[in-house]
Amino acid sequence: MKLASVPITLTQCAKTFRGTRVLEPLDLHIDAGETLVLLGPSGCGKTTTLRMIAGLETPDAGGRIAFGDDDVTALPIEKRQVGMVFQSYALFPNLTVRGNISYGLKIKRVPAETARQRVDELLGMMRLTAHADKPIDQLSGGQRQRVALARALAVQPRVLLLDEPLTALDARLRDTLRSEMNTLLRELGITTVYVTHDQAEAMELGDRIVVMSAGRIEQIGSPREIYYRPANRTVAQFVGTINRLAGERRDGMLSTTGGAVPLPAGSVHANSAHEIFFRPEDAYLADPAHAQLRGHIESTAFLGERTRLTIGGAAPDALLIDVAGRVELARGTPVGISITQDALIALS
Ligand SMILES: Nc1ncnc2c1ncn2[C@@H]1O[C@H](COP(=O)(O)OP(=O)(O)O)[C@@H](O)[C@H]1O
Ligand SMILES: [Mg+2]
């Protein structure tokens, strides 16, 4: 399926509902063909941003939205050529799969033969051919989601907008569909804005991720940038798990409760109080005599492929450390831990 795709530019787009500003003025550029994920906790303004791009909400005065060179700020949704998929699917229960997918084509008076060919192609692409004449209520959640996606694509949109499309599904199905979605979005090459509060979805699907909180953009970057170089604590805490080491700076080391860790090069600070951060997978157990930090096992959680250890006494806060699943350690066992040097993160 051949789809044209356009870049999207939001300039100073804010949104106020009944006197309450829910989005601060935001600037955002989405490349043609890119998948941009809006990630953040519930209520941070993801859906509102998506709805402004769709034409379902108007930005406050002064905001501007462009698709390529077209200023679409004043255009209603039906004139923007966008395809939308919601968490709730919003399929027509009294129509068949084919009926749902071809609905927008009927409205647009696309000639019957063209419409039939396009729907057949989409049915094949979404592995729904065998289900074409079934009513919606005979489909599984995953199949319904694919119908919703096919329906959004049928009208050959310039932009695809997805709002938590996998959230309603159970965990196992969500994993499968996430990877299907990934393949599909790459094949289609359509400019996509994908809203989720699930960081695994954001990591797998996003060319870039926009981390939002409380109506603001906290960081925009590739999944690796967001994970390994979080811009601030909000991002670091929302994306993945992070440990804090607080202590005193002394001779290039951070001295803390259970030992000392070499500070990353270039970490300068006005006073001697200091803190650095690291991910649970970036520390390892070591012989306590030679380890950077000493502590004891407070608790363990066996998660199958890995075990997450909670270690007390090594730093002011308990530390979470991931080790291989087969490692078994009793509560109270003294342990040494060291942290991979280039994995230390300094945050303001
Ligand atoms: N139509 C509306 N009227 C009033 N407040 C709204 C409306 N839509 C969203 N909000 C508020 O705006 C904020 C952001 O909502 P939303 O964009 O839906 O967040 P998210 O999708 O990130 O969960 C929330 O506080 C929400 O209650
Ligand atoms: Mg939402």
Side-chain angles (χ1 to χ4, degrees), residues 17-18 22 40-49 57 163-164 195:
F17 288 115
R18 288 180 236 107
V22 302
S42 175
C44 72
K46 305 179 296 294
T47 295
T48 303
T49 307
E57 301 285 359
D163 194 352
E164 313 237 12
V195 163

Side-chain angles (χ1 to χ4, degrees), residues 182-195:
N182 191 21
T183 310
L184 192 73
L185 292 179
R186 292 196 194 262
E187 271 171 25
L188 290 169
I190 186 170
T191 312
T192 302
V193 184
Y194 189 107
V195 163

Side-chain angles (χ1 to χ4, degrees), residues 327-345:
V327 174
E328 284 189 62
L329 287 162
R331 203 172 153 190
T333 309
V335 289
I337 54 177
S338 292
I339 302 151
T340 311
Q341 176 62 11
D342 57 8
L344 293 168
I345 299 168

